[in-house]
Amino acid sequence: MASDDIAQLADALSKTHVGDGELSLKGLGLKLDDSESVAELLGKIEQYPVLRALRLEGNTVGVEAAKAIAKALESKDQLQRCYWSDMFTGRLRSEIPTALMCLSGALMSAGAQLTELDLSDNAFGPDGVKGIEQLLKSPSCHTLRELRLNNCGMGIGGGKILAEALIECHKKSTAVGSALRLKVFVAGRNRLENDGASALAKAFQLMGSLEEIHMPQNGINYGGVMALASAIRHNPELRVLNFNDNTFTKRGTLAMAQALRHLRNIQVINFGDCLVRSEGAIALAAVLTEGLPVLKELNLSFGEITAGAALVVAQAVMDKPHMEKVNLNGNCLGEDGCDVLREVLDNVDKGDLLASLSEDEGEPDDEEDEDSDTSDSDGSDECYEEIVKENGMNGGESPEKPQSQAEILSFLSNPSAENLSHMKMNLQQGVNVSEPNKAAELFLKIGSLHSQDAEANAAVFEVIDGVLKKVLSASALQSHCFLTTLLVLMGVLKGEGKMKKVPLVPGQLLCLEHAVQQEYFTQHHASVFHTLLSRNVDALKSCSSARDRLSSALEKKSHKYH
């Protein structure tokens, strides 16, 4: 160790105060290679009768120095907080696990009971996790409240080791009557991917005590997001969710939306750069309308969200009394969409909520296809059914009878007025709110039978009313999923996956006009539908007269909502 480093260490130690219980070498950039280089630090540690926090971040500690520090810590049973981020710059990766094992062993020997452990920015990989594995399983971590492992390069293997250690810690601590109650978990930029995230999700679900989860930039897509969504609903005290820069797509966003329905304490949601897309954004807006009462910040930036969906989100946040910021930057609103979004919020004195829109990507080209993510874009109902099953929800309905489902499929393949009159009861009873695609397709098939015959139309409207009353009386999330699916099939909203636009006839829009006037089609439903339709009225230009009647009915119904 250079003499100037020794002088700098001596100067820093001379300014510490024994009474505050914290010994800090934070940010000094010292190169601590051996026992000689840390001699003054060891002396200072000995002087602390009650050492509660040790800050070594921003220095570089070699194996021999770590062994010397560890020896001094073996008597410090009151140590609670270890701030050891960015502590191995320039060290061989093979050195780091040994150094960590030495320091961990000292904490365990001392009988320390940690509340905070920060090892962020150490790039130690899976082997580094092995260096703290025994510590995390030990009684010294039964009291752990905050664990920060940001930017450590853990990878899938490290994520699995970490998850198993947390699970074992929880089991052992529970057995002695004091279950591990971790509150803050930070592990961004670790390449955890689906398998690592899924392993950690099991630990999260078991603990059930988390208040903050930060896992940005981990290469997680739908499979891992699904597992995390299942876990977070078992953590009712969650306040902060940060999954920025992972890949949700529609399926993952629906899973998160379903999970968020269970949480009442969420204050910050960061799903920026997660490719939530329009259907996912509308699903999240649905959850906002019926829950998340203390939400303060919502980040849905860079998510390929179109203007209509962004407006639905804006309408959902308007009534949130604690809302401070909504970030929709970097989406696909277009210049006009940005202007309308600002105007909508300005009109209710909420313009200050909206973050900058300076990086908007512009309106998407009609030729653009959103099914580029082939691993997760089949556009079928299976994804929603799987989410409902995974989250233990079925909309309050019993499973459909196979006969009803068979008759629905038969009708869908051969819709006719005669079939409608024979099957109307089964069509109404068999529709499943957890299958928005089939429900929307069924509605359009029934609507295609609209005609000039008053008696035939009465039968059409009767079945339409039965189907929509059931679908739209479900949760806000389920009803929004149906409405967005219907708009995708109609070509009004750009969807994800292989779901293709259905050729429209005026009768289908006239059936919608009828539905809008019914009690089951609420003002909120009308507002959402009208907002999305008004952004793309040209999609229905082939049925312009019926479209105008529908638009008029929607505007009239939704007026009171605004």
Side-chain angles (χ1 to χ4, degrees):
M1 184 178 185
S3 59
D4 55 345
D5 279 349
I6 295 175
Q8 191 178 3
L9 174 57
D11 181 60
L13 293 174
S14 69
K15 295 176 182 177
T16 59
H17 301 285
V18 175
D20 61 13
E22 179 177 297
L23 180 56
S24 177
L25 301 184
K26 181 179 179 180
L28 295 181
L30 302 175
K31 192 170 187 292
L32 307 175
D33 294 325
D34 49 35
S35 58
E36 181 183 356
S37 66
V38 293
E40 292 203 38
L41 172 61
L42 303 182
K44 201 68 175 182
I45 290 174
E46 291 298 326
Q47 292 176 26
Y48 269 66
V50 181
L51 180 63
R52 298 193 184 278
L54 179 59
R55 309 196 76 111
L56 298 176
E57 65 264 53
N59 300 286
T60 176
V61 180
V63 172
E64 294 306 314
K67 288 179 178 179
I69 295 170
K71 186 68 176 177
L73 292 178
E74 288 180 353
S75 61
K76 300 302 174 183
D77 61 346
Q78 298 299 306
L79 186 59
Q80 298 175 336
R81 303 185 303 278
C82 296
Y83 303 108
W84 296 347
S85 63
D86 189 18
M87 201 172 73
F88 298 108
T89 301
R91 301 294 172 181
L92 294 176
R93 187 163 166 176
S94 59
E95 293 181 77
I96 300 175
T98 303
L100 288 173
M101 286 179 187
C102 292
L103 293 167
S104 295
L107 297 175
M108 291 185 284
S109 296
Q113 295 185 313
L114 299 184
T115 58
E116 297 181 46
L117 178 60
D118 186 353
L119 288 164
S120 299
D121 301 316
N122 278 313
F124 47 51
D127 289 340
V129 184
K130 293 178 182 178
I132 58 170
E133 181 180 6
Q134 295 307 314
L135 172 64
L136 290 173
K137 293 178 178 180
S138 75
S140 289
C141 283
H142 289 184
T143 49
L144 196 62
R145 297 294 178 263
E146 299 185 15
L147 178 59
R148 302 176 188 274
L149 295 167
N150 202 58
N151 191 29
C152 288
M154 289 190 288
I156 295 171
K160 290 181 175 181
I161 295 168
L162 176 60
E164 287 301 319
L166 290 173
I167 289 170
E168 185 167 339
C169 182
H170 184 271
K171 290 179 178 178
K172 287 182 175 179
S173 58
T174 300
V176 296
S178 182
L180 170 66
R181 292 191 55 80
L182 191 67
K183 294 183 178 182
V184 177
F185 180 84
V186 181
R189 300 180 66 188
N190 270 293
R191 305 192 307 276
L192 293 170
E193 302 182 12
N194 284 350
D195 289 347
S198 297
L200 285 165
K202 293 177 182 178
F204 296 167
Q205 182 164 331
L206 182 65
M207 291 186 291
S209 56
L210 288 166
E211 296 179 9
E212 297 185 24
I213 300 176
H214 302 262
M215 296 175 66
Q217 292 183 303
N218 269 297
I220 306 167
N221 59 37
Y222 167 69
V225 173
M226 183 76 174
L228 289 167
S230 181
I232 67 172
R233 65 188 291 264
H234 295 279
N235 287 264
E237 300 305 316
L238 268 170
R239 294 182 293 105
V240 179
L241 277 181
N242 178 6
F243 293 119
N244 190 284
D245 198 10
N246 290 290
T247 306
F248 282 23
T249 63
K250 173 185 172 181
R251 302 178 75 183
T253 311
L254 281 176
M256 279 292 172
Q258 191 73 277
L260 287 169
R261 297 181 68 230
H262 298 266
L263 305 176
R264 304 287 295 175
N265 296 302
I266 291 287
Q267 297 178 13
V268 177
I269 294 174
N270 186 344
F271 295 164
D273 207 10
C274 284
L275 212 62
V276 301
R277 292 179 172 154
S278 295
E279 292 173 274
I282 294 167
L284 292 170
V287 177
L288 274 167
T289 63
E290 65 178 2
L292 303 178
V294 296
L295 188 67
K296 293 181 178 180
E297 296 183 23
L298 176 64
N299 185 346
L300 298 179
S301 59
F302 299 93
E304 294 189 4
I305 299 168
T306 55
L311 286 168
V312 172
V313 172
Q315 290 168 358
V317 303
M318 284 179 188
D319 297 327
K320 294 297 169 186
H322 303 284
M323 202 71 191
E324 296 174 0
K325 184 178 181 181
V326 56
N327 189 345
L328 291 164
N329 197 18
N331 284 298
C332 305
L333 312 187
E335 185 175 350
D336 179 61
C338 289
D339 290 341
V340 172
L341 183 61
R342 292 188 190 99
E343 182 181 352
V344 164
L345 289 170
D346 283 339
N347 286 343
V348 291
D349 295 325
K350 299 281 188 177
D352 57 338
L353 294 182
L354 189 63
S356 169
L357 298 174
S358 61
E359 297 180 80
D360 187 71
E361 296 285 342
E363 294 184 57
D365 297 331
D366 291 338
E367 292 78 15
E368 288 181 3
D369 190 1
E370 287 191 352
D371 65 357
S372 57
D373 184 6
T374 55
S375 65
D376 163 0
S377 56
D378 60 5
S380 68
D381 279 325
E382 281 77 4
C383 74
Y384 192 83
E385 288 184 282
E386 185 179 353
I387 290 163
V388 169
K389 180 179 179 181
E390 182 72 20
N391 287 281
M393 303 185 63
N394 62 4
E397 61 179 61
S398 56
E400 322 77 44
K401 296 178 181 178
Q403 180 182 356
S404 297
Q405 287 298 291
E407 292 198 356
I408 287 178
L409 293 174
S410 173
F411 177 81
L412 289 174
S413 64
N414 183 30
S416 68
E418 183 179 2
N419 284 344
L420 182 67
S421 87
H422 290 152
M423 300 179 183
K424 62 183 181 181
M425 187 61 67
N426 279 340
L427 291 177
Q428 292 173 5
Q429 293 179 348
V431 68
N432 188 341
V433 298
S434 69
E435 296 181 329
N437 193 7
K438 287 181 184 175
E441 186 181 356
L442 178 62
F443 170 84
L444 291 173
K445 292 288 188 182
I446 297 169
S448 69
L449 301 177
H450 185 281
S451 68
Q452 299 299 319
D453 185 296
E455 185 176 345
N457 279 347
V460 168
F461 287 153
E462 180 185 353
V463 181
I464 288 288
D465 289 340
V467 169
L468 292 192
K469 185 175 182 179
K470 184 174 184 181
V471 173
L472 296 179
S473 297
S475 71
L477 176 57
Q478 290 167 324
S479 62
H480 276 57
C481 284
F482 167 76
L483 292 175
T484 54
T485 302
L486 182 59
L487 286 162
V488 169
L489 289 174
M490 292 169 63
V492 174
L493 185 67
K494 182 180 285 289
E496 178 180 292
K498 300 174 183 177
M499 200 166 12
K500 300 302 182 183
K501 177 183 175 182
V502 172
L504 295 178
V505 295
Q508 293 161 325
L509 304 189
L510 295 175
C511 284
L512 266 175
E513 179 200 19
H514 162 81
V516 169
Q517 299 172 57
Q518 309 308 309
E519 186 175 345
Y520 59 73
F521 207 104
T522 66
Q523 290 177 343
H524 178 65
H525 292 141
S527 176
V528 171
F529 208 93
H530 184 250
T531 296
L532 295 166
L533 179 58
S534 65
R535 298 302 307 172
N536 192 12
V537 291
D538 287 346
L540 306 182
K541 61 185 177 183
S542 63
C543 308
S544 57
S545 177
R547 175 199 65 191
D548 293 343
R549 287 178 57 175
L550 171 60
S551 295
S552 177
L554 286 165
E555 186 172 7
K556 183 177 179 181
K557 183 77 172 258
S558 63
H559 179 71
K560 292 181 181 179
Y561 183 78
H562 297 297

